Amino acid sequence: MNREFGYLRVATAVPPVTVGHVSENVTALLALAAESAAANADVVVFPELCLTGYTCADLFHQEVLLSAAEAGLARFAAETALLEPLFFIGAPVRAGTRLLNCAVAVQRGDILGLVPKTYLPGYGEFYERRWFESGQTVKKLTVHVAGREVPVGTDLLFVNEAAVIGVELCEDLWAPVPPSTALALAGAEVLVNLSASNDLVGKSHYRRGLVKQQSATTMSAYAYCSAGGGESTTDVVYGGHRLVAENGHVLVDERGFSFAPELSVADVDIHFLRHERLHNRTFSAAGSAAPLVPRDIRYHVSRGPLNDIKRCPPPLPFVPSHEEDRHRVCDEIFAIQSLGLATRLRHTGLKHVVIGLSGGLDSTLALLVCVAAFERLGLPRAGIHGVTMPGFGTTDRTLGNVTKMCDQLGIPLKRIDIQDVCQQHFKHLGHPGDQHDITFENVQARVRTQMLMDTANMVGGLVVGTGDLSEMALGWCTYNGDHMSMYAVNIGVPKTLVAFLVEHVAGTRDEAGLRETLHDVLATPISPELLPPDEHGVIAQKTEEVIGPYELHDFFLYHLIRRACPPRKVVRLAQLAFGDTYEEAVIKHWLSTFIRRFFRQQFKRSCVPDGPKVGTIALSPRGDWRMPSDADPAAWLADLD
């Protein structure tokens, strides 16, 4: 994947440090520098004070060690002159009568800048204030180090064509307001932390939480690299914790407890971070009030292709891959859906709902939500009025599952055969009735909606909509047919997640026989059942054969809308996510279908009923998504081609 798609490769590198032996440490650093450059890294983060060893203690005041450190910096710079990455190595640096604990930025043989640590711990096992001074005492200075004048300060940002990088060290992240917050508000998109955090029981979990939260708060990529086993001495042990997080999502979490060199690599999506900051007005408002006026240290890199991306997007981005997380998410979504419906019923004072039941996934989930909402309100299930309306495409399988579900849940079910009514419509329209065109299909959908609305008037209730987020994104609904309801409980749930929700609820209900019925619903092909079945009475009209696989469309929805990826990038990501399941031509075909339908069907989304937002994507015009109904998809299709 070319770097034009906005990925930046970040490496965290833990060398085998020998405390006090600078020349040996430089050799170890150079080996990892070469390895990270071979891995095509753009930024490489080493641990705090790795040039000398973090645990040198009073040796930091020895001329021998400090002179060796300066010579070591000069050697590292000279021997990495042909390497492209921007390296951050930890070293003690003298600034007049002050000694600073610094992150030293080195690229192509040049020492670009020095960032001193701001917060020096002086508690527990840490005594840094005994040897170092805070970076707060350094204001827009330069220092003479390794034969050159180098800018030093906590206000430095390292800027190239691809990203803006800010730096802090270890304890800085533990502060109530980390320096990285101001750096991010000043423009830093990637934050790096050179650390020497010893290991205690539970401490790694806490570090992970800090890195994850700071990356989310600052809408940044955060790369953290801590000292390894060679630093372990006296009463402390270091495990070499390496973390990379992107906007609250952890990409790397590794800890070797090793004396060997360790390298972790992650590709962070700079384009996505820029989208998030552009989209989030709170971030820009906070940035306008930021007190930091940074000094930009500009450098250039010759960025080659990045074809072996180090992250594989999940094929089902809306469905957590771990079972425990999936059940937790399903619990939350189901609670949001049922509470939303219960709130609407409380507000209106209604004690009845009407729901059209087809035997498909969406109406099944909506029925289960209605049951949960009535349980929340302590209302009898007799107030849930199931209506099944067999038409020209209804099969015995789906009709049988509706009947069984309602029996098992204790829901009254009304059957209204709509074929005669539809035939009357065809007669008035002058339609032949046996011509299976769009009119043939949509007459059925609108008749069903009319029946539901009229039934709701009769019982004094509201019509619960069953359509889901994926259908609304594609406009796969009949305008003023199944498009319309009085409260749409599934409108925030993508199709790929609907099945998992039904399966999850199947495992939590104890009604006799319900689980088996729900599993058969899950095994039923997705279909609107508007066209006649085949000669064996089996569903012939299959939605995914007409509009494409929902797993692809949900993938497109997530990456086009949530992450604002250009179509070419979506194609490449889909190839990575689905492997050999779909050829590139197939992905492009269905992505083109998605883009065309998403744009051309916006008018349906401009007047959708209320429904609960359950995730990071919602297409309600009253909430997350405002789009002109007549926008042209030409630019997106051109990018795809």
Side-chain angles (χ1 to χ4, degrees), residues 207-226:
R207 277 193 297 257
R208 175 190 169 97
L210 285 175
V211 169
K212 180 179 179 179
Q213 182 59 43
Q214 187 64 355
S215 75
T217 302
T218 58
M219 297 183 180
S220 69
Y222 197 106
Y224 174 97
C225 187
S226 187

Side-chain angles (χ1 to χ4, degrees), residues 154 157 168 177-188 191 214 218 287 290-294:
T154 58
L157 291 179
E168 64 185 2
V177 182
S180 55
T181 299
L183 292 169
L185 292 173
L191 302 169
Q214 187 64 355
T218 58
L292 180 65
V293 179

Side-chain angles (χ1 to χ4, degrees), residues 155-174:
D155 58 342
L156 302 185
L157 291 179
F158 300 88
V159 182
N160 72 4
E161 301 84 353
V164 180
I165 302 160
V167 188
E168 64 185 2
L169 290 89
C170 199
E171 184 77 7
D172 292 344
L173 178 59
W174 269 255

Side-chain angles (χ1 to χ4, degrees), residues 22 26 30 51 67-81 89 104 106 109-111 145-148:
V22 174
V26 172
L30 289 169
L51 196 65
S67 295
E70 188 167 359
L73 278 179
R75 178 188 163 197
F76 182 88
E79 295 190 30
T80 57
I89 63 175
V104 184
V106 180
D110 192 14
I111 299 178
V145 61
R148 65 206 84 184

Side-chain angles (χ1 to χ4, degrees), residues 316-367:
L316 302 178
F318 295 106
V319 182
S321 56
H322 298 294
E323 185 176 359
E324 183 178 343
D325 292 337
R326 190 161 59 245
H327 285 302
R328 176 182 54 78
V329 167
C330 286
D331 272 335
E332 284 185 301
I333 292 174
F334 197 68
I336 291 169
Q337 289 179 282
S338 59
L339 183 60
L341 178 57
T343 303
R344 177 56 53 89
L345 291 171
R346 284 186 63 188
H347 178 73
T348 58
L350 299 176
K351 294 180 172 57
H352 296 267
V353 296
V354 176
I355 179 170
L357 299 173
S358 67
L361 275 174
D362 290 341
S363 66
T364 297
L365 176 59
L367 175 61

